[in-house]
Amino acid sequence: MSQALSLPRAREWPPVLPAIAVIVLLGLPISPAGESGAGPADAVSALVVLYCAIRLVRDRRRPLSRTAAAVLGLPVLGLAVAAMGASSPGAGITGMGRYLQIFVLVPAAVLLLVRGRRDFRLLAWSFVALAGWQGAIGVHQYVTGTGASYQGEEIRAVGTFGPTDVMGMATVVSFGLVCALGLALGRTSVRQRAVAASCALALLLPLALSFSRGAWIATAATCAVQLVLAGLRRALKVAAVAVAAGVVLVGGFGVGSAMLQERIDSITQVTDAPDQSVTDRYTMWAAAVGMWRQQPLTGVGLKGFPEYRDGHASLALSSGSDTEGAGAAYRKQPLLSPHNMYLLVLAEQGLIGLLALAGSWLVLLACGLRGLWRARGSGAGLDCALVACGLLIWQLIDFAYADIGGPSTVLTAVVFGVVAWWSLVGADRPETPAATVPVPEPAEKAVTR
């Protein structure tokens, strides 16, 4: 009787809980006066890596397969070369540590902590929950006029990330929407699919109120790909529901219709009449290309873009971006990156770094799509496949408009870990029955007395 009422032992808890803790911490408010850099979630992500390393030493297991180690370790080559070419040892070490955190160490830790598709779905629902929390705060900011400044009004939905990381909430909501749609398109219980579909529709509103053109483009393209991969007939049905919801929200209730229409129209005006933000972005892109031409193979070194920017940028570049609202005072935020991950890597790490990093991502995408094709045939794990492939496709598209930086960046590391698990492990692993709870310790310990 006492055993029946006892709490579950720590080793029976899902090992993925430390990774979920990183996601939970991203729901905490960021200091309005703080710089958009590392936060509590970054510190916990380091503890997750340490925790994973301790478990591996204790269990005496080989941490990764040769394929996984090669794919996840490929970016280290370009990072090592670029770190040696940095302007100072401190810049090289800091830059390399950040890249290793986001693209190597945390993804590897998440891959090792996820033990099956149940844990994978738990992580996916954590993304949806965080998106719902941040989205609810963002909608409240828009309604009450307490968001970040946009065209002179403090209505831009930024969640808890503040005006210095205006892409933070948009990224979180986009991840949640992609996860919710993947879960809704799977072949699990009707209840789960209905809840996931409702969450996906609800997240459309805060995504729209983020006024983030890059997130809109990446999310629309990713959702379209997910729908096509799930089946053409289902894609047409879901698309009709999404369009109807959009008409009701914008047309029926007039949710930000004028500003949304103006923001959407600005996407097609990037060459005819671009606003200053678009001009700045094109100018920094040109500067990044100029740096790459200066050092084609190795780049100018990690953390080198701010130092070399003025020497390659034209006079069209403004002094910085104006930020205000959401509890923060007015400030001019300097433009220290090209807002394009591919060009940032090309400028600082050269062709060697770009081929190593992008090559790792493409291998993950190819393996993930192969697993998705198998899941479509068997029906098992289709939701996991759609979530993983959708997250990676979204990230690869968004990297054309954004790069790493800010408190929300650590979520990108968790995303790559989720994708790596499906692409390198989960696609070939059978579904775990719901009634069984596997224990990671070796079987010998269970029979030895």
Side-chain angles (χ1 to χ4, degrees):
M1 186 66 162
S2 60
Q3 292 181 352
L5 297 176
S6 62
L7 295 174
R9 292 172 296 177
R11 68 179 186 176
E12 295 177 351
W13 297 344
V16 77
L17 286 180
I20 295 177
V22 176
I23 299 176
V24 171
L25 285 174
L26 286 171
L28 298 178
I30 305 297
S31 173
E35 298 289 336
S36 60
D42 291 277
V44 173
S45 72
L47 295 178
V48 170
V49 174
L50 180 61
Y51 165 75
C52 188
I54 293 174
R55 289 188 71 236
L56 293 176
V57 173
R58 184 194 65 185
D59 298 341
R60 298 180 181 179
R61 293 189 300 158
R62 187 174 67 180
L64 297 171
S65 66
R66 293 180 180 178
T67 302
V71 173
L72 293 178
L74 187 60
V76 178
L77 173 63
L79 291 174
V81 174
M84 291 187 292
S87 58
S88 67
I93 294 174
T94 303
M96 187 170 184
R98 186 62 162 167
Y99 274 95
L100 288 177
Q101 174 203 12
I102 302 304
F103 299 115
V104 180
L105 296 178
V106 175
V110 173
L111 183 152
L112 293 169
L113 292 176
V114 177
R115 64 186 177 184
R117 293 174 184 171
R118 295 178 64 195
D119 287 351
F120 184 99
R121 294 185 180 105
L122 186 59
L123 266 176
W125 279 110
S126 300
F127 277 100
V128 177
L130 176 63
W133 167 251
Q134 292 286 358
I137 296 176
V139 172
H140 179 266
Q141 290 171 335
Y142 175 85
V143 173
T144 59
T146 56
S149 179
Y150 178 77
Q151 293 186 357
E153 300 181 56
E154 296 185 355
I155 58 172
R156 187 169 190 174
V158 292
T160 63
F161 295 102
T164 58
D165 188 13
V166 292
M167 283 292 296
M169 192 211 75
T171 299
V172 168
V173 171
S174 298
F175 284 154
L177 200 156
V178 170
C179 288
L181 183 59
L183 293 168
L185 295 175
R187 299 177 184 176
T188 53
S189 65
V190 176
R191 180 180 180 181
Q192 174 175 292
R193 283 181 285 159
V195 173
S198 301
C199 292
L201 289 175
L203 291 174
L204 289 174
L205 178 58
L207 179 62
L209 299 180
S210 70
F211 296 103
S212 175
R213 292 169 293 196
W216 293 348
I217 295 172
T219 304
T222 301
C223 291
V225 172
Q226 284 181 300
L227 290 171
V228 171
L229 291 175
L232 187 58
R233 181 180 299 178
R234 185 181 296 181
L236 294 176
K237 293 180 180 179
V238 176
V241 174
V243 170
V247 170
V248 171
L249 287 174
V250 179
F253 295 106
V255 178
S257 55
M259 288 188 175
L260 284 176
Q261 185 61 48
E262 182 179 349
R263 192 67 167 170
I264 294 172
D265 292 341
S266 68
I267 297 176
T268 61
Q269 296 172 353
V270 293
T271 56
D272 297 334
D275 56 31
Q276 186 59 46
S277 65
V278 175
T279 301
D280 287 340
R281 184 163 300 187
Y282 280 0
T283 304
M284 291 189 293
W285 288 3
V289 173
M291 296 177 201
W292 166 68
R293 288 174 178 170
Q294 180 180 333
Q295 296 286 343
L297 288 179
T298 60
V300 297
L302 293 179
K303 296 287 185 178
F305 183 87
E307 180 180 351
Y308 289 86
R309 183 199 64 182
D310 293 340
H312 295 274
S314 68
L315 296 177
L317 182 65
S318 65
S319 58
S321 176
D322 298 333
T323 61
E324 188 179 10
Y330 172 83
R331 58 168 294 188
K332 181 76 72 171
Q333 188 173 7
L335 303 174
L336 302 179
S337 70
H339 295 288
N340 182 305
M341 190 64 198
Y342 306 108
L343 291 179
L344 177 62
V345 174
L346 190 64
E348 295 186 344
Q349 303 179 39
L351 282 174
I352 295 177
L354 182 62
L355 291 176
L357 197 58
S360 174
W361 300 339
L362 291 177
V363 171
L364 290 177
L365 180 60
C367 294
L369 290 174
R370 182 189 62 182
L372 187 147
W373 186 259
R374 294 178 184 174
R376 279 195 61 179
S378 64
L382 180 60
D383 55 337
C384 299
L386 291 171
V387 167
C389 293
L391 288 174
L392 183 55
I393 291 171
W394 188 95
Q395 193 64 77
L396 295 181
I397 296 174
D398 184 71
F399 273 162
Y401 305 93
D403 48 46
I404 58 175
S408 61
T409 301
V410 68
L411 196 63
T412 301
V414 180
V415 164
F416 275 105
V418 169
V419 172
W421 181 85
W422 170 258
S423 300
L424 303 175
V425 178
D428 300 321
R429 181 173 295 180
E431 188 85 31
T432 302
T436 63
V437 180
V439 178
E441 278 69 23
E444 297 90 291
K445 295 184 178 181
V447 299
T448 303
R449 304 208 181 258

